[in-house]
Amino acid sequence: MTLSTLVSQLGKRQFALEYQWMKRAVSPILPLREMLERRVAGEPLQYILGEQPFGPLSIKLRSPVLIPRPETEDWAIRLAERLASRPHTRPLSMLDLGTGTGCIPLLICSLLPPGSVQATGIDISEEAVKLATENAALCSPSGNTFRAVRASFLDPLFPHPNLGVHPPFDIVTSNPPYISWHEYTQLSRSVTDYEDPRALFGGPDGLDFYHAIAALATGKRSKSRKYFDRLLK
Amino acid sequence: MSTPEDILRLKQLKETEPIQQAWDDWVSTREALRETTLLLDDPDLRSMASEDHEMLLQSLTEIVKTTFPTILVPPSRTEHMSALMELKSGVGGSEASLFLGDMLRMYLRAAQISRWKANIVSSNNLDTGGVKDAVVEFKGPGAYDALQWESGVHRVQRVPATEQSGRVHTSTVAVVVLPLIEESEAQKEELYSMDDVKVEVMRSRGAGGQHVNKTESAVRLTHIPSGITVAMQDERSQHQNKRRAFSILASRLMEAKLTREMEARRASRRNLVKSADRSDKIRTYNYAQERVTDHRIGLSVKNLTSVMEGEAIQDILSALRRDYEESQMEDLLAE
């Protein structure tokens, strides 16, 4: 019953693919029956399987932390390749805004030579920071460092001195929330029911976070320049 | 002081030493055999002579069958290459899939014996126990050389496990074996340039990115100069699908390159040919008669069980290899 429902939900081809992946992931704590039932209920496969390949890494996942997207994988790899192609005389400092699972900085750390990157990821979500920290331990970026810190970059006072986040940075990355209110209401339930709205909703026009990033990057954030250097070198 | 020409000549001399040695052995053994043959007419010396005669004949045969071929056949262009094997069930439904599973086990066991590292890259396992299709990497020197002749349609004749009436069914499994190319090798062989490859990725119909969290990450490559396309969606990420797709593209381009080179060299009609006709049945596995027959060289092996256990299949693979080497020597002579 569950199987045929799933086949009609996903289509034959997609079902065949997902079924193989599920069978490979079967374990004593995750039986096939449970996976199928959760999938029929609409839960994203990535959360059921608990991990997602991202470049050469396997990123641990847990609802509601945002599932890494293939577009992000694509540009993060390109960025790493571009960075790797130039020689650097000292380690690069990197800040990832809204780090979620930590996938972006962890990917870059794993693709660059040891000792060439020191990365920090910030996220407003406690669950994200916890998950990103777990991923950092799992991926062990071989001589490059990554740590996750809880903060909101919409906060006008970001970065607070006690965060340990010290601008300026060589690289600032972000896959910020960019979905507008109107678009959010049209999203499929596999997104809205399971992924953190804070990771998706970017304000009425979806651009709130882009404004924040632009302001941080150009130092136009605060009247008091004492607290804000330019975020970028 | 040696000039470069001297060094080259010395190298050539050194390389021909084994041939010289083998030829000298051949001449002296043949002479000794001739003398011994004469002695066979002498009643007093006959028994001793016939023993010598036997031994010399064996030596001579050994030189012709083994030593000469080893020296004269040019080293294989692909002797270090690993193999990528794709198996697909053909005619016969679930029985074909069951036999595919048996063939898979056969090759995995053969790989163990030959010390290749076998890795099942993907497999579509049916709940009924068969395998609908599978892709396997066999890593190790000589893997491609040994397995390249497995490409083609394998036919099985047996009573399916599920068959109640005891009727024999005929099913087929299609096998394609390609050279497995490392990325550095792909560059060295100049198989393709990135400019010639069109990369298409799965795009959702509406907005993508954060709007959707589907797992579809299919990739399609088109190699524009040759028209070869590779579609890949078996993996869970775009990056993994791209990597596998490029690897398969390299394998297909290398196979095409090798076939062109083989065609260019071919003088003898007897050559083992890799049939372009994908429906050519190259081998039949007849369970009732416990016999495996390779149709290209007309070889029948009477121990089907041993074949499926990965052991006797080696005999078939060696025979195919020898046949190919013989035709290579014929080509040499024809030049």
Side-chain angles (χ1 to χ4, degrees):
Chain A
M1 177 60 189
T2 312
L3 270 182
S4 54
T5 315
L6 198 51
V7 173
S8 56
Q9 276 178 3
L10 297 175
K12 254 191 179 172
R13 195 150 57 131
Q14 183 64 14
F15 169 77
L17 275 175
E18 296 200 11
Y19 193 53
Q20 291 296 324
W21 295 332
M22 281 189 228
K23 281 200 282 191
R24 251 171 258 168
V26 170
S27 77
I29 50 166
L30 190 61
L32 187 60
R33 149 131 261 123
E34 181 188 320
M35 286 194 255
L36 291 167
E37 282 170 1
R38 284 165 69 176
R39 193 71 185 105
V40 163
E43 184 175 348
L45 181 69
Q46 299 94 317
Y47 283 142
I48 298 171
L49 299 180
E51 49 85 24
Q52 171 68 24
F54 193 74
L57 303 176
S58 177
I59 299 289
K60 193 165 164 189
L61 299 180
R62 209 158 44 228
S63 178
V65 182
L66 190 81
I67 297 167
R69 302 309 205 243
E71 293 87 349
T72 309
E73 181 189 52
D74 190 59
W75 68 249
I77 291 178
R78 277 185 225 247
L79 175 60
E81 284 169 356
R82 202 186 284 189
L83 292 171
S85 69
R86 299 183 212 152
H88 303 283
T89 48
R90 52 162 180 79
L92 298 172
S93 59
M94 180 178 156
L95 177 68
D96 185 40
L97 300 170
T99 202
T101 54
C103 55
I104 297 167
L106 284 170
L107 177 68
I108 298 196
C109 284
S110 73
L111 290 179
L112 291 181
S116 58
V117 177
Q118 282 160 357
T120 307
I122 63 136
D123 203 290
I124 194 177
S125 151
E126 190 70 70
E127 289 133 321
V129 172
K130 184 159 173 271
L131 185 60
T133 308
E134 286 171 38
N135 274 315
L138 284 172
C139 296
S140 51
S142 66
N144 290 317
T145 62
F146 168 67
R147 64 187 188 105
V149 170
R150 183 151 180 243
S152 162
F153 62 96
L154 289 183
D155 184 338
L157 294 180
F158 174 83
H160 287 262
N162 65 340
L163 272 181
V165 172
H166 303 296
F169 293 91
D170 294 302
I171 312 155
V172 175
T173 55
S174 185
N175 178 29
Y178 53 70
I179 305 214
S180 71
W181 174 244
H182 173 71
E183 285 170 342
Y184 192 80
T185 59
Q186 314 272 338
L187 293 181
S188 113
R189 285 186 47 203
S190 68
V191 176
T192 56
D193 283 1
Y194 296 92
E195 298 192 271
D196 196 338
R198 293 178 299 176
L200 297 163
F201 182 51
D205 61 1
L207 297 177
D208 285 3
F209 291 88
Y210 287 97
H211 293 310
I213 295 172
L216 279 170
T218 56
K220 291 194 176 86
R221 203 43 172 318
S222 155
K223 304 160 207 159
S224 164
R225 294 292 296 228
K226 197 161 56 125
Y227 284 120
F228 295 100
D229 299 319
R230 281 176 60 127
L231 201 61
L232 284 172
K233 285 187 182 145
Chain B
M1 285 282 278
S2 327
T3 67
E5 287 95 35
D6 288 340
I7 295 175
L8 187 62
R9 195 158 299 151
L10 265 169
K11 188 164 178 272
Q12 281 175 326
L13 265 172
K14 191 95 186 121
E15 279 170 2
T16 51
E17 256 177 31
I19 301 176
Q20 184 66 57
Q21 181 69 45
W23 180 253
D24 290 344
D25 277 348
W26 161 261
V27 169
S28 62
T29 309
R30 203 177 52 173
E31 188 55 40
L33 183 71
R34 192 177 298 146
E35 286 170 14
T36 317
T37 312
L38 292 170
L39 290 175
L40 286 174
D41 292 331
D42 186 327
D44 293 326
L45 300 169
R46 184 176 299 157
S47 57
M48 192 179 72
S50 68
E51 237 181 79
D52 280 349
H53 189 266
E54 188 61 42
M55 219 174 60
L56 288 167
L57 202 57
Q58 262 182 27
S59 292
L60 220 55
T61 314
E62 172 79 18
I63 294 176
V64 170
K65 272 202 160 157
T66 312
T67 318
F68 277 166
T70 314
I71 297 172
L72 288 176
V73 172
S76 164
R77 165 116 158 67
T78 52
E79 63 186 353
H80 57 285
M81 284 186 188
S82 301
L84 179 71
M85 177 184 285
E86 183 183 60
L87 304 101
K88 279 211 174 100
S89 15
V91 174
S94 56
E95 162 65 358
S97 299
L98 282 167
F99 184 64
L100 197 152
D102 293 334
M103 282 186 73
L104 194 52
R105 272 184 290 279
M106 169 180 79
Y107 287 122
L108 292 176
R109 290 201 185 110
Q112 254 185 333
I113 296 173
S114 301
R115 309 227 191 173
W116 307 319
K117 194 157 167 289
N119 172 37
I120 302 181
V121 176
S122 75
S123 69
N124 207 334
N125 298 342
L126 300 178
D127 290 336
T128 45
V131 180
K132 188 149 176 273
D133 49 68
V135 177
V136 191
E137 288 177 348
F138 294 99
K139 289 195 176 154
Y144 174 71
D145 273 359
L147 296 172
Q148 61 179 312
W149 306 108
E150 297 305 282
S151 295
V153 175
H154 298 241
R155 178 171 63 178
V156 59
Q157 290 165 333
R158 67 181 182 185
V159 179
T162 52
E163 173 69 34
Q164 284 154 342
S165 70
R167 204 159 52 92
V168 172
H169 287 234
T170 301
S171 324
T172 63
V173 171
V175 175
V176 176
V177 176
L178 301 173
L180 187 60
I181 305 290
E182 302 285 323
E183 210 178 301
S184 50
E185 225 175 334
Q187 288 188 13
K188 200 172 65 134
E189 293 277 351
E190 293 179 331
L191 291 174
Y192 64 87
S193 99
M194 284 304 288
D195 295 333
D196 289 337
V197 182
K198 184 169 79 167
V199 181
E200 293 169 275
V201 295
M202 175 75 93
R203 290 251 172 269
S204 34
R205 237 164 254 134
Q210 290 172 3
H211 294 77
V212 295
N213 58 16
K214 297 215 181 108
T215 54
E216 294 145 0
S217 52
V219 165
R220 181 167 59 203
L221 304 178
T222 309
H223 181 246
I224 300 170
S226 67
I228 293 179
T229 62
V230 180
M232 178 57 55
Q233 58 174 5
D234 291 357
E235 302 296 327
R236 287 182 53 208
S237 79
Q238 210 180 82
H239 168 79
Q240 287 174 341
N241 277 327
K242 256 192 219 167
R243 255 197 17 209
R244 269 194 64 198
F246 271 104
S247 176
I248 292 178
L249 178 65
S251 289
R252 292 219 191 128
L253 287 169
M254 187 74 219
E255 179 75 5
K257 188 174 181 187
L258 290 170
T259 307
R260 277 197 307 272
E261 290 174 2
M262 226 187 260
E263 290 288 314
R265 283 197 308 262
R266 226 157 64 87
S268 150
R269 281 168 295 139
R270 206 172 60 83
N271 267 6
L272 261 182
V273 186
K274 281 193 207 160
S275 177
D277 182 356
R278 290 290 187 90
S279 61
D280 265 15
K281 291 179 189 60
I282 58 165
R283 199 176 297 148
T284 300
Y285 303 72
N286 189 313
Y287 275 65
Q289 295 166 358
E290 263 274 327
R291 187 177 54 198
V292 181
T293 308
D294 194 294
H295 304 296
R296 295 164 295 179
I297 54 175
L299 174 69
S300 263
V301 172
K302 289 261 174 58
N303 194 341
L304 182 138
T305 313
S306 173
V307 171
M308 301 311 291
E309 291 290 312
E311 286 168 16
I313 185 73
Q314 311 277 351
D315 299 333
I316 301 178
L317 296 178
S318 311
L320 288 162
R321 177 165 197 158
R322 265 201 313 274
D323 187 275
Y324 179 60
E325 284 173 355
E326 278 171 19
S327 54
Q328 275 189 301
M329 280 202 292
E330 285 178 26
D331 285 350
L332 252 172
L333 291 172
E335 276 170 23

